[in-house]
Amino acid sequence: MQPSGCDTRGGQSCGAHSISIVTLYEFIGREAASRGRPARQQAIIFAMRNLRLVCAVFIAVAAQPLCAQQGARPIPPAMSAAPPVATGAGPVHENLVYGVADGQTLLLDIFEPANNDGLPRPAIILIHGGAWTSFDKSTMRQLAQFFAVAGFVAIPVDYRLFHDDLNRWPAQLDDVQHAVRWVRANSGKYNVDRNHIGAYGHSAGAQLALMLGMVETRDNSDPAVAKYSSKVQAVVEASGPVDFIMQQDDDGKRFLTSFLGADLTKHPDVWRDASPISHVAKSNAPILIIHGTRDEMVPFAQAEALNDALKKAGADVKFLRLDSDHMFSDPAAHRQLVLETQAFFFRHLASAP
């Protein structure tokens, strides 16, 4: 991770907002060691792959000083008000209820930085993957810890999972939009800057994160959050499916037909509306696209198409192409992903007016 003022070109030392990466690594490593391995079921093994991705990112970054990372790009040295100052981990608020939908209680966690007082801090909504059918916010726990130590308020969220023809799209979008609005409504309690909220998502979570940066609230039925926007100010999407119309695999088409509740040939408008690429506009939040050129689950061409569409629209977009797979298994890819993600959120949340 590269803090503000870290000069990767001239060999100068990092500035006042830097933090020892060894301290970060040791903190996260102790937490990881305290967690036991879950049952060896196929779905849980895949979930642990997501968790190990996060751990490996931090391990890779810890291998060398931040300012010596090759390929790291400097970020603007000036941060206007309230940059995230890395001071260590603060309070963790788990399983907070942010809503109820179809009888299901919707939960989120809040990871605060230490000494979270004074000027409000930017926040990051963390959205897990799992094909909209599996896993939960716990797979984002260590990433949340990392961002909290770095000075952000980090917020992993649950959303309704699709199963047995229940919770079809757009239930997942409604939930994450509600989560953002709940955070804004409760920003004073957790010292969140409600005008500087970002979203990070991987795979299916990336599709949801993109929608948070592109479209405004769909379901405005809850009066408790009715006056708050659900749009975020920056998005990092990793390995995300962005155009459902491009789906070529027969099994994938069958799943999407059930998930979206519509056949493509009869209702292409439903498939397009659920596809982030259909909502590209100059007014979109700044977006960082991260995709592996060897992604075996979501074709790299989807990321290229999204980048091209955003550029054509005049939107603020950055495209990070990594020689890696869907899970970014290569350590060098891990390192670059985490450096660019951290720098992107510093640039667009911490230094924004």
Side-chain angles (χ1 to χ4, degrees):
M1 298 288 184
Q2 181 179 325
S4 174
C6 182
D7 189 344
T8 62
R9 298 164 296 178
Q12 298 177 7
S13 62
C14 298
H17 299 304
S18 65
I19 182 171
S20 166
I21 193 65
V22 175
T23 300
L24 279 175
Y25 169 59
E26 289 176 347
F27 170 79
I28 294 168
R30 286 196 301 269
E31 174 62 24
S34 69
R35 297 171 64 85
R37 184 177 180 83
R40 297 176 181 271
Q41 300 174 6
Q42 182 178 0
I44 300 302
I45 290 174
F46 189 77
M48 291 302 292
R49 288 181 66 197
N50 282 290
L51 192 58
R52 286 197 300 270
L53 166 66
V54 176
C55 297
V57 168
F58 303 137
I59 293 171
V61 176
Q64 52 185 304
L66 289 177
C67 291
Q69 298 289 350
Q70 295 182 353
R73 299 184 180 182
I75 62 176
M79 287 188 177
S80 53
V85 178
T87 57
V92 177
H93 313 274
E94 296 187 282
N95 297 321
L96 300 176
V97 177
Y98 74 83
V100 178
D102 295 329
Q104 180 176 336
T105 301
L106 303 173
L107 306 174
L108 57 76
D109 300 334
I110 295 180
F111 291 73
E112 294 188 62
N115 305 314
N116 187 25
D117 51 20
L119 291 173
R121 295 176 184 260
I124 302 172
I125 305 294
L126 302 172
I127 310 175
H128 68 86
W132 309 277
T133 64
S134 58
F135 314 141
D136 58 36
K137 58 185 171 58
S138 67
T139 64
M140 291 283 118
R141 179 182 180 86
Q142 292 189 334
L143 187 56
Q145 291 172 325
F146 189 88
F147 279 125
V149 172
F152 294 90
V153 180
I155 308 169
V157 302
D158 279 342
Y159 51 87
R160 280 173 287 173
L161 300 176
F162 172 66
H163 61 90
D164 301 323
D165 293 332
L166 298 175
N167 301 328
R168 283 193 169 96
W169 180 267
Q172 298 72 28
L173 175 61
D174 290 344
D175 292 350
V176 295
Q177 286 186 331
H178 197 152
V180 174
R181 302 169 81 202
W182 184 94
V183 169
R184 286 198 163 106
N186 292 273
S187 58
K189 185 174 182 179
Y190 302 103
N191 203 38
V192 169
D193 181 349
R194 68 177 63 166
N195 297 316
H196 294 92
I197 297 178
Y200 171 90
H202 177 260
S203 196
Q207 181 257 355
L208 292 169
L210 281 168
M211 297 294 273
L212 289 179
M214 292 179 163
V215 301
E216 191 46 271
T217 305
R218 198 197 73 86
D219 178 8
N220 198 30
S221 61
D222 185 351
V225 296
K227 68 178 183 178
Y228 298 102
S229 170
S230 63
K231 288 192 73 175
V232 298
Q233 282 66 57
V235 173
V236 176
E237 74 95 351
S239 305
V242 302
D243 188 351
F244 294 142
I245 302 293
M246 291 178 67
Q247 175 62 247
Q248 300 297 320
D249 177 76
D250 289 339
D251 288 340
K253 288 181 179 179
R254 281 191 290 270
F255 169 78
L256 287 173
T257 298
S258 181
F259 175 56
L260 299 175
D263 182 86
L264 174 60
T265 59
K266 297 178 180 179
H267 300 284
D269 54 317
V270 175
W271 287 53
R272 291 193 186 95
D273 190 60
S275 302
I277 200 167
S278 299
H279 301 281
V280 164
K282 187 176 182 178
S283 60
N284 292 161
I287 295 169
L288 170 60
I289 302 168
I290 306 176
H291 214 102
T293 56
R294 295 181 282 107
D295 192 325
E296 71 284 6
M297 299 181 71
V298 179
F300 182 73
Q302 293 220 5
E304 291 181 307
L306 178 62
N307 180 60
D308 291 344
L310 287 165
K311 282 187 172 182
K312 184 176 180 180
D316 188 340
V317 59
K318 181 176 180 180
F319 188 10
L320 179 59
R321 303 165 178 84
L322 296 179
D323 180 20
S324 194
D325 55 17
H326 187 73
M327 299 300 298
F328 307 105
S329 302
D330 178 67
H334 292 166
R335 182 175 65 248
Q336 194 170 2
L337 180 149
V338 74
L339 284 169
E340 295 282 357
T341 296
Q342 177 84 339
F344 185 83
F345 281 134
F346 267 116
R347 182 180 300 116
H348 292 289
L349 298 180
S351 62

